[in-house]
Amino acid sequence: MMLEIDTLTAGYDRTTVLRDVSLNCAERGITAVLGHNGAGKTTLLRAVVGLLRPTSGTIRLDGKDIGRLAPHRRVHEGLAYVPQGQRSFEQLSTLENLQVVADGQPRSRRRRAVQEALDRFPALQAVLDRQAGLLSGGQRQQLAIARALITAPRLLVLDEPTEGIQPSVVLEIERAIESLAADGMSILLVEQHVGFAVSVAQTYTVLAAGRVIQQGTGGAEAQADVRAALTL
């Protein structure tokens, strides 16, 4: 397994948000995490990427316990995170946003890393000189994912990548996610779009009030079961 989460409990101050959550993310595939607002999805991702220290439980990346590693150390281990909100350096151009990340890579692969990221999102080619703060929401989200890809992650963690984006761009992002998984990347995906998330995922987990209430194998036929769980 690329990612193994075992009986994870986490929260903020004295408030427990996650309770004994366990799930796995296989190599070369997509694992979807679903649930209503407040279910604990973002808290789970923050614990995985190191922005929140769990109260108990373990997090392993490719067999290595990363639960006590700082976020930047987890990046070095092959993890990349794209949070909600289409974040970027707004005063920098699209290209400069990519180059900032590439500067942290070995010199021999910097240019190639930027080009490979742009190949995933060809729409960004037309706005390379535009300030990131002036991009549309869909363009900013594509840029955010492209920035993460420059680090050549083995596990890509995505928090609501299609939230608030126009349908035509949503389709481009969905295709890019499917393409990344097909090319061998592991993806942990939190997504409100049940139809897309469950249909492309190999496995899924449904959270409610910080607990796992359902897990199963993905695919179009699983959508009805997930929607039923979300109505409970």
Side-chain angles (χ1 to χ4, degrees):
M1 289 293 174
M2 177 56 66
L3 178 70
E4 299 171 273
I5 300 173
D6 185 30
T7 59
L8 191 71
T9 295
Y12 307 94
D13 297 326
R14 297 182 180 180
T15 302
T16 299
V17 177
L18 298 178
R19 296 171 177 83
D20 296 324
V21 170
S22 297
L23 64 89
N24 295 326
C25 186
E27 294 185 32
R28 303 177 61 88
I30 300 172
T31 295
V33 178
L34 304 109
H36 295 299
N37 289 337
K41 306 184 301 298
T42 295
T43 298
L44 172 65
L45 298 193
R46 287 174 58 84
V48 168
V49 303
L51 298 176
L52 177 66
R53 176 163 290 186
T55 305
S56 61
T58 58
I59 304 170
R60 293 185 178 88
L61 182 64
D62 200 17
K64 179 176 181 177
D65 189 341
I66 62 170
R68 293 188 177 275
L69 294 184
H72 72 277
R73 293 283 306 280
R74 300 188 196 201
V75 172
H76 289 306
E77 293 294 332
L79 188 155
Y81 177 43
V82 182
Q84 281 180 291
Q86 305 140 21
R87 298 180 188 179
S88 62
F89 297 112
E90 295 189 354
Q91 300 304 314
L92 299 182
S93 70
T94 298
L95 180 58
E96 289 169 337
N97 265 271
L98 298 172
Q99 290 173 332
V100 164
V101 182
D103 285 346
Q105 303 300 303
R107 186 180 298 274
S108 60
R109 72 173 303 271
R110 290 176 186 174
R111 183 174 297 180
R112 185 174 74 253
V114 170
Q115 188 56 54
E116 288 174 351
L118 288 171
D119 288 344
R120 295 287 182 181
F121 298 102
L124 293 178
Q125 294 277 6
V127 293
L128 288 179
D129 294 331
R130 188 175 303 172
Q131 281 188 344
L134 301 179
L135 300 178
S136 69
Q139 290 168 333
R140 286 197 303 272
Q141 186 62 280
Q142 291 178 79
L143 176 57
I145 299 174
R147 281 163 46 90
L149 295 179
I150 288 177
T151 65
R154 293 178 293 152
L155 174 67
L156 180 63
V157 179
L158 300 173
D159 192 358
E160 304 282 9
T162 67
E163 181 183 33
I165 296 174
Q166 63 190 58
S168 62
V169 181
V170 166
L171 185 58
E172 292 179 29
I173 291 173
E174 290 177 351
R175 287 173 176 167
I177 292 170
E178 291 181 272
S179 175
L180 289 166
D183 288 345
M185 189 174 293
S186 298
I187 298 173
L188 181 61
L189 171 68
V190 164
E191 179 58 69
Q192 292 282 3
H193 185 176
V194 173
F196 163 67
V198 177
S199 65
V200 301
Q202 282 65 54
T203 59
Y204 71 85
T205 294
V206 180
L207 296 179
R211 296 183 183 276
V212 174
I213 62 168
Q214 185 168 300
Q215 292 181 309
T217 302
E221 66 280 358
Q223 292 184 36
D225 290 339
V226 172
R227 294 183 191 280
L230 290 171
T231 63
L232 296 177

